[in-house]
Amino acid sequence: MQGEQRARTIFLTLWTLITAAKLVIAARLPLFVDEAFYWQEGQHLAMAYSDLPGLTAWLTRLGVELGGEHVLAVRLPFLAIGAALPWMVSRIATRWFGAVAGWQAGSLTLLMPLSATLGMLAVPDVPMALAAVLCLDAGARLLRSVDGAAGAAMKLALGLMIGALSHYRFIGVIAVGFIALLVLPQGRRMLRDPRVWVALAMGVLAWLPLLAWNADNHDAGLKFQMVERHPWNFQWSGLWFLVIQPVLVTPILCVAMWKVALAGTRSGGGARAQWRYFGLVGAVSTVAIFLLGFFTDVERISFHWPLPGYLALLVAVPVVLNGWPRWLRRTGWWLAGAGLTLALGYYLMASTPALREQLAGDKYYPRNFAGWRPLADAVRDELRQMPEGTRVLAGNFKVGAELGFQLRDPRIEVLPHPLNDKHGRTAQLGEWGLLHEGERQGPMLLVLSPSDQRYRELLERYHQVCEQVGPLPPPRVVSQDHGYQRFLLFRLPAQRAEGACVTPAMAWFDTPQPGGEVQGVVEVRGWAFKDGVGLSKVELLVDGQPVAPVRYGRPYDITGFWKISNDPQHPNVGFDAQVDTSSLAPGKHWLGLRLHGNDGSVETWQEQAVIVR
């Protein structure tokens, strides 16, 4: 009893503290771009959408209906599910392995970074994890006895329905469950019971809205999820799974879960069938995702895909841990806690502008969380100065959805963009009538996000925008975190302007190198140009202040790479300057440019860090 009480107290303490921390961070953290699009889908209620079944959008709509247009309200239903999952895992483990193991399984669910942070973002993985745990619980109970288990069959049906309404990937969860049941003699017996097939039939019916949407839209969703987003060619980057996953679930806990998975291959009676079931579900799921990782999309986040399998393994992990030496158990618990602290710390950093700025230029910079409120403030200011009835036109779905949430307008039009295709949102925008084809009957405020484009493709993108809306007037620049999140706002006249394509300015530092160490007098060299009109002047900035005269216009032919550039001043687009760093304090400083166009435009360029010695 004393061990049970201690395990229960630890669980309740962890649950209270971690839930409170998640609420605080979720209330501060700006919406991730996918969350913003799910909010937008929730404002256009439908049975299914181009990228997902309907449940995620419905939950975001429920949140804002209950709590208003606030980031915490959008996430509230997901936070509630995330808070309930440790209790559910604890209850499953208690049923099969005792109360102490049950509370410990719940605590580990609270500490493992992948499951601990669940619900902080309004994403489909949250209801999908709920569905997986419901099916896991129902399957374990039905393995023991189908007779008198009508409640378990109903829970299985509910889990299958929630999963079908959550994500296409739940098909994989179903397949894994079937494989585990077919391996077990008790599972094969269970699959012969008609009540189980009734539950399965109800789960199948829940896929009908998604199938109907695809039937009406030339299978756009299926093609995106199953074909277009994945290369389906072997790529060695899949080996990163072996490195990333032990970090994300913490190393000792990862070893313990694999011990459970291996135990699933051994036969035995009593609760051993359930043990094997949890192990098989987790093992088959994790191995399958690892193998698929060699062929599927590696550009977008996929580290969370094994979570349903991990939740199955966590149920039995306390039994494994309790057989290990005390020092190793304690190390595992403390490592899990440290992992959770780092995960929450990252989200806290992303939600705090002063902390987020410190990661500018780093590959872990959370750009998709950054700059949306300042952008919305700038858009409101521009709209106040433009004619009444001016509409906003976004450069891609990310800008449209994020601005839509900030401005409380889910009907912001969006230009065609490869990002819309890459994320499976083009068909949905088209269905809503929000894909802008370039024609306009009144003034519009165009908002572009050059940070979303690979630099080598940026000039081509600008010329595409010119073809869509005409030459671009001088932009207003909204820059965050030294320009690593950067937006351009253009006041488009009611009638399309004629003439050569005019684009925003482009620039590059040849020297010094990013993050390079400098001292004394430093030679700064590079190039800058502005298609259509050219530049009249370039200013060199250090920490936002002009520091030295810049000689602009020396010969520097860059048209060998930027072949489509039409700056009339080519090839005289090079610049150079000398900066005396002796007056600067040692440490990191930011080197930037202010580019003056012949059309009167003034654009600040993304800054570059240098280290003064």
Side-chain angles (χ1 to χ4, degrees), residues 315-496:
V315 171
V317 159
V319 182
V320 171
L321 288 178
N322 289 333
W324 287 359
R326 185 177 181 183
W327 69 268
L328 187 56
R329 294 200 306 269
R330 286 192 168 185
T331 303
W333 283 90
W334 282 107
L335 277 178
L340 169 62
T341 302
L342 289 174
L344 292 178
Y346 180 81
Y347 284 115
L348 181 62
M349 177 276 301
S351 70
T352 307
L355 296 176
R356 187 182 62 233
E357 184 183 357
Q358 301 303 311
L359 280 183
D362 190 274
K363 66 178 180 178
Y364 298 109
Y365 172 67
R367 191 171 57 78
N368 281 321
F369 290 108
W372 302 114
R373 186 172 296 176
L375 173 62
D377 291 340
V379 167
R380 292 188 187 97
D381 183 55
E382 290 292 302
L383 290 176
R384 282 192 291 267
Q385 301 176 52
M386 296 182 71
E388 186 175 352
T390 298
R391 293 179 296 134
V392 177
L393 176 60
N396 60 52
F397 85 91
K398 294 183 177 183
V399 176
E402 290 280 4
L403 269 181
F405 178 75
Q406 294 288 337
L407 303 177
R408 309 298 185 255
D409 180 6
R411 295 202 57 81
I412 291 177
E413 291 183 88
V414 176
L415 286 175
H417 193 289
L419 272 179
N420 304 339
D421 302 331
K422 183 178 179 180
H423 291 265
R425 271 68 192 259
T426 297
Q428 192 59 64
L429 292 167
E431 188 174 89
W432 291 336
L434 298 183
L435 271 181
H436 186 81
E437 299 300 334
E439 297 296 326
R440 57 183 185 271
Q441 304 302 319
M444 301 190 80
L445 179 64
L446 172 63
V447 183
L448 298 183
S449 175
S451 306
D452 286 327
Q453 201 79 36
R454 291 178 180 174
Y455 189 62
R456 63 176 179 267
E457 300 169 352
L458 185 56
L459 185 62
E460 182 181 357
R461 175 59 188 164
Y462 285 154
H463 278 259
Q464 290 172 354
V465 173
C466 277
E467 292 175 5
Q468 293 163 342
V469 303
L472 298 174
R476 173 174 175 174
V477 180
V478 180
S479 183
Q480 284 287 115
D481 302 331
H482 305 289
Y484 283 89
Q485 180 68 301
R486 191 164 169 267
F487 303 99
L488 303 174
L489 281 61
F490 304 86
R491 299 184 186 184
L492 299 180
Q495 300 299 319
R496 179 190 177 108

Side-chain angles (χ1 to χ4, degrees), residues 19-62:
T19 302
K22 288 166 66 173
L23 282 167
V24 170
I25 296 173
R28 294 167 44 90
L29 186 68
L31 288 185
F32 189 74
V33 289
D34 286 338
E35 292 181 280
F37 195 77
Y38 302 145
W39 165 85
Q40 189 175 15
E41 288 178 328
Q43 301 303 302
H44 298 83
L45 285 177
M47 293 301 294
Y49 302 90
S50 67
D51 54 339
L52 288 175
L55 184 56
T56 303
W58 305 341
L59 290 173
T60 64
R61 180 62 177 268
L62 174 63

Side-chain angles (χ1 to χ4, degrees), residues 5-21 87 103 107 110-111:
Q5 182 61 38
R6 183 171 181 272
R8 180 176 180 272
T9 301
I10 290 172
F11 172 82
L12 292 175
T13 303
L14 287 173
W15 185 88
T16 302
L17 293 175
I18 292 169
T19 302
W87 290 91
W103 292 118
S107 295
L110 285 164
L111 290 175

Side-chain angles (χ1 to χ4, degrees), residues 192-211:
R192 290 195 293 267
D193 190 276
R195 283 166 294 188
V196 172
W197 284 98
V198 170
L200 294 174
M202 294 176 67
V204 169
L205 290 175
W207 290 98
L208 291 181
L210 191 61
L211 294 174

Side-chain angles (χ1 to χ4, degrees), residues 75-352:
R75 294 168 173 151
L76 201 56
F78 301 85
L79 284 163
I81 294 171
L85 280 171
W87 290 91
M88 297 172 66
V89 172
S90 175
R91 185 175 179 183
I92 298 170
T94 297
R95 178 177 293 116
W96 303 112
F97 305 113
V100 174
W103 292 118
Q104 289 174 342
S107 295
L108 289 170
T109 307
L110 285 164
L111 290 175
M112 187 178 75
L114 272 184
S115 55
T117 54
L118 204 64
M120 289 176 59
L121 301 182
V123 292
D125 298 271
V126 182
M128 195 169 82
L130 171 64
V133 172
L134 286 171
C135 291
L136 185 74
D137 186 19
R141 291 173 62 188
L142 288 167
L143 280 176
R144 180 176 61 181
S145 174
V146 179
D147 296 332
M154 292 179 64
K155 182 175 285 189
L156 177 62
L158 177 62
L160 291 171
M161 292 170 67
I162 292 174
L165 294 171
S166 298
H167 203 287
Y168 287 84
R169 271 190 282 114
F170 194 72
I171 296 172
V173 177
I174 296 172
V176 166
F178 260 113
I179 292 170
L181 292 175
L182 289 173
V183 169
L184 297 170
Q186 298 91 335
R188 295 193 292 272
R189 183 198 65 210
M190 166 186 152
L191 290 174
R192 290 195 293 267
D193 190 276
R195 283 166 294 188
V196 172
W197 284 98
V198 170
L200 294 174
M202 294 176 67
V204 169
L205 290 175
W207 290 98
L208 291 181
L210 191 61
L211 294 174
W213 188 94
N214 277 279
D216 291 339
N217 291 274
H218 310 289
D219 295 325
L222 281 168
K223 288 177 181 176
F224 168 71
Q225 292 288 352
M226 305 300 178
V227 180
E228 295 168 357
R229 72 172 293 181
H230 303 296
W232 296 118
N233 293 315
F234 184 82
Q235 45 199 343
W236 285 106
S237 55
L239 287 172
W240 277 108
F241 182 94
L242 296 177
V243 178
I244 293 173
Q245 291 304 313
V247 173
L248 293 175
V249 301
T250 67
I252 293 178
L253 190 54
C254 184
V255 172
M257 287 194 289
W258 275 108
K259 290 276 287 184
V260 174
L262 290 173
T265 63
R266 302 168 191 158
S267 61
R272 177 59 65 181
Q274 282 71 26
W275 177 286
R276 292 192 65 200
Y277 172 63
F278 300 137
L280 284 168
V281 168
V284 173
S285 171
T286 308
V287 170
I289 290 171
F290 168 57
L291 294 176
L292 284 171
F294 287 101
F295 302 92
T296 53
D297 176 24
V298 295
E299 293 188 25
R300 278 159 289 188
I301 295 172
S302 57
F303 60 75
H304 54 286
W305 287 9
L307 180 58
Y310 289 158
L311 292 173
L313 297 172
L314 276 178
V315 171
V317 159
V319 182
V320 171
L321 288 178
N322 289 333
W324 287 359
R326 185 177 181 183
W327 69 268
L328 187 56
R329 294 200 306 269
R330 286 192 168 185
T331 303
W333 283 90
W334 282 107
L335 277 178
L340 169 62
T341 302
L342 289 174
L344 292 178
Y346 180 81
Y347 284 115
L348 181 62
M349 177 276 301
S351 70
T352 307

